[in-house]
């Protein structure tokens, strides 16, 4: 049974994470101060240290949490899906759908890598490589089976991820196309492109 004080502390910590994410998105890591963060959650600046060690630690927590959530959700989306074509289709569907609804997290994850200290940055890069490897393995399996035309596994992996992740820079919920239509277009681009336009 959790004590009330502990429960309140957990809620405060979550409020700090949410406010920190929003402020970093709006102002950038360098532009956000701990005073800004404390004010956003109604705390005295010194009280923040009851919940976060440093501003850098907060950024690392936000980015690593995003990468772990992303990878766990991908693994769930791929569970039970057999065959490289079906798995590639599931990957594209998942990646685009996930990123369409998490613009703030994705922006901070990508734009603030430069703000991470070397050890923290390497830890995040390892998580990113693990995610990328899931797509690379699907492409390699499809190429080996003769189902996909993949001229270079790493370059194709990075190219696909750049294309799919790019939706966060231009998609607007009030725009001309609904989310499922955006997903369907990307599925056709990737699957038809790697199968030579059809098949």
């Amino acid at each position: 049974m959790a004590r009330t004080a502990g429960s309140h502390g957990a809620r405060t910590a979550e409020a700090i994470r949410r406010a920190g994410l929003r402020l970093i998105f709006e102002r950038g890591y360098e532009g956000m101060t701990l005073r800004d963060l404390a004010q956003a959650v109604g705390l005295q600046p010194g009280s923040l240290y009851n919940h976060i060690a440093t501003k850098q630690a907060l950024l690392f927590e936000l980015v690593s949490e995003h990468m772990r959530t992303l990878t766990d959700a991908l693994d769930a989306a791929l569970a039970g899906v057999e065959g490289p074509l079906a798995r590639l289709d599931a990957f594209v569907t998942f990646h685009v759908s996930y990123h369409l609804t998490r613009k703030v997290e994705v922006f901070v994850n990508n734009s603030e890598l430069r703000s991470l200290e070397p050890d923290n940055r390497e830890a995040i890069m390892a998580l990113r490589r693990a995610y990328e490897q899931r797509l690379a393995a699907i492409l390699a399996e499809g190429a080996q089976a003769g189902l996909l035309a993949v001229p270079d596994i790493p370059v194709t992996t990075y190219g696909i991820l750049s294309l799919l992740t790019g939706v966060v820079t231009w998609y607007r919920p009030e725009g001309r196309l609904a989310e499922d239509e955006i997903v369907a277009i990307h599925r056709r681009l990737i699957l038809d492109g790697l199968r030579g336009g059809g098949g």
Side-chain angles (χ1 to χ4, degrees):
M1 292 184 294
R3 294 180 301 174
T4 302
S7 176
H8 177 72
R11 288 196 300 270
T12 301
E14 178 58 26
I16 290 169
R17 286 193 294 272
R18 286 197 309 269
L21 184 69
R22 177 179 57 80
L23 289 169
I24 294 171
F25 175 73
E26 292 173 353
R27 305 179 188 184
Y29 175 76
E30 295 300 332
M32 183 199 77
T33 69
L34 291 182
R35 185 172 296 277
D36 296 331
L37 180 58
Q39 184 176 16
V41 293
L43 294 175
Q44 293 296 320
S47 299
L48 283 176
Y49 295 107
N50 294 323
H51 304 280
I52 61 171
T54 62
K55 180 178 165 182
Q56 175 70 197
L58 173 63
L59 177 63
F60 178 70
E61 180 181 355
L62 292 172
V63 177
S64 58
E65 180 181 13
H66 168 77
M67 283 307 308
R68 290 192 176 93
T69 300
L70 173 67
T71 303
D72 288 347
L74 172 63
D75 288 343
L78 293 176
V81 180
E82 301 293 338
L85 294 181
R87 288 177 67 78
L88 180 58
D89 192 32
F91 181 95
V92 172
T93 299
F94 163 78
H95 191 92
V96 177
S97 299
Y98 186 97
H99 284 69
L100 284 174
T101 59
R102 290 168 175 81
K103 178 176 182 174
V104 172
E105 293 91 333
V106 173
F107 179 86
V108 170
N109 185 69
N110 290 332
S111 67
E112 297 299 346
L113 275 176
R114 63 192 175 189
S115 300
L116 289 168
E117 294 172 354
D119 287 349
N120 287 341
R121 186 175 191 278
E122 180 49 41
I124 297 303
M125 292 305 297
L127 294 175
R128 289 168 71 101
R129 286 191 295 269
Y131 184 85
E132 293 160 1
Q133 183 54 38
R134 285 158 168 78
L135 174 57
I138 293 170
L139 295 175
E141 182 185 359
Q144 185 174 14
L147 297 172
L148 298 173
V150 185
D152 184 273
I153 299 295
V155 171
T156 304
T157 298
Y158 298 141
I160 290 173
L161 288 172
S162 295
L163 173 65
L164 301 184
T165 304
V167 297
V168 301
T169 65
W170 55 262
Y171 174 71
R172 298 292 179 272
E174 67 277 8
R176 181 172 54 88
L177 298 175
E179 287 182 17
D180 60 340
E181 294 174 296
I182 299 294
V183 171
I185 289 170
H186 284 80
R187 290 171 63 201
R188 289 188 60 185
L189 282 171
I190 301 302
L191 270 294
D192 289 355
L194 291 178
R195 290 183 298 185

